Amino acid sequence: MRRALRAVVLGGALHFKQESRNPFFLWIVICTPLVYATMAYFLFRGGQDDATLVTASLGSALMGIWSLTTTAAASTLGRQRRVGILELLVAAPTPFWLTIVPITLALAALGVYSLATGLIYVTVLFGVPVTIANPFAFCVSVLPMILSMGMLGFLFCAAFVRFRSSWMVGNLFEFPVWTLSGMLIPIAVLPVWVEPISWFVAPTWGMSALREAALGNASPWDDIGMCIALSVVYAAAGGALLRVFLRSALRRGTLALS
Amino acid sequence: MIRAVERRLRVFAFGGLLSYRALFGWVNPYVFIGVMVIPDLTQIVFFAYLGRATGIGDDTFFLVGNALVAAAIPGLFGMADTISDERRTHTLSLLVVSPASRLSLFLGRALPIALNGVAVSVIAFAGGSLILGVKIPLTAIPALVVVIAVTAFACTGLGLVNASIGLRQRESATISNLIFYFLLLAAGVNVPLALLPDWLATIAQGLPVTHGAEAARELVAGARLADVAGLLGAELLIGAAYALVGLAAIRAFELQARRGASLELA
């Protein structure tokens, strides 16, 4: 247990530092909230309602986090394959999932840049005062939100271990999750049948937790609980998928070729 | 003389085709669908619902804007990749020392990308209108195809500028994203130009897609091709200007890179 925790913490810190120096990743987490917050500002007609703009800035920040997680996590194994270390990582004594989880968690954790950018940008450029109604709950809700996004990234990473074009998956899920999870569009606007689907998408609860903590309209703790619960589900599903796919790849000798 | 022309045409046609096939790794069609079709359709749905939430523009406004800007993805990313992929596979130096005409080489690479942009945009238009239930008048379709083709050409022109930057900058994907996001924000794709600050609306007049999207919206609203000839002309002119600047910049940056031996280091 301690060894697993050590692998996650040290691996996460290492990858966080490493990915913080990737210009493309930094571009995604910093510019996505800038562009979408600006777009929201214009579309919501120049901020007649501060609460809407605060929500939009939080939403655009989460869009940046998801964009990076889905793009980078889905292609994580592809990158390992390309640099020729995938087989070594699989053969290492550390369980393979313990190698992957820190990477996807670190990618989601880069989202703190996105969150900071979104809030500072809206405050400085548009003069919208960002007052957090419940600062303690807000800070607490950031962690499960990052955890849930990281674990969803892990699930994607595991699900596409057999595909050489796994990088493509990031593109596929970017807009659907943005749409489903109420980051910029209220879920009430979507068709009724969509809402139950959004319950299974952790960013929905992460967004809800941050919004409730920031605006103080309702308690964010239920949402935080849902984030943690879904993270466990994603981790279990991702671990199981990874096991099945890796066994299959090892049996066929297609790990590097798939 | 005839042989020289023949050689140039060969580089243009076969070089372009081979480069295009290598560019997207078209082993399976699902890569095309996954990269170019589904993301565009989900983007259309996202912005249509954002439009419903904000009450700005109807579904048609967002369908037209996003279907047209879909042509920019192959234009921007595809053209940038013609340089960055050569660098990644260590063939950029070979390309630069080859005697092939740069004009034939890069125009040959641009043509399939522009055609790809047309195909992607048409699919996005058709798929988006089916999903959102937007009715496009049948009589407007031939004129819309013309607008899409002109917009795809203009986007590929901008892509040539983007490709030239790839000779000086390694992070071509970042720059492509930056340009694409700017188009989404400022080219009247999702935010009506009237809602933008004046300075941004003025910049938008020099961007590809701005006039194409306006022309397409007018066609869907019942205008004839002749009614939007001015807008089409502006889009064409903008595309041609970007293409010329791009080709000149490629030549200039290539010479600069050869002089400074910085081709692989950029």
Side-chain angles (χ1 to χ4, degrees), chain B residues 68-86:
Chain B
L68 275 178
V69 87
I73 295 177
L76 288 171
F77 290 83
M79 286 313 298
D81 285 353
T82 58
I83 299 286
S84 59
D85 281 357
E86 298 281 1

Side-chain angles (χ1 to χ4, degrees), chain A residues 72-154:
Chain A
S75 59
T76 295
L77 293 180
R79 287 200 302 277
Q80 317 285 9
R81 185 179 281 132
R82 198 166 52 238
V83 294
I85 58 169
L86 186 59
E87 292 107 316
L88 294 176
L89 291 174
V90 170
T94 306
F96 189 54
W97 67 270
L98 275 176
T99 308
I100 300 301
V101 164
I103 299 177
T104 58
L105 280 179
L107 289 168
L110 281 182
V112 293
Y113 296 138
S114 196
L115 207 54
T117 307
L119 293 176
I120 292 170
Y121 179 67
V122 166
T123 309
V124 174
L125 254 85
F126 299 139
V128 177
V130 179
T131 44
I132 306 292
N134 189 344
F136 175 69
F138 187 84
C139 293
V140 171
S141 56
V142 170
L143 285 176
M145 181 269 292
I146 284 175
L147 175 73
S148 64
M149 291 237 199
M151 297 322 290
L152 188 52
F154 169 63

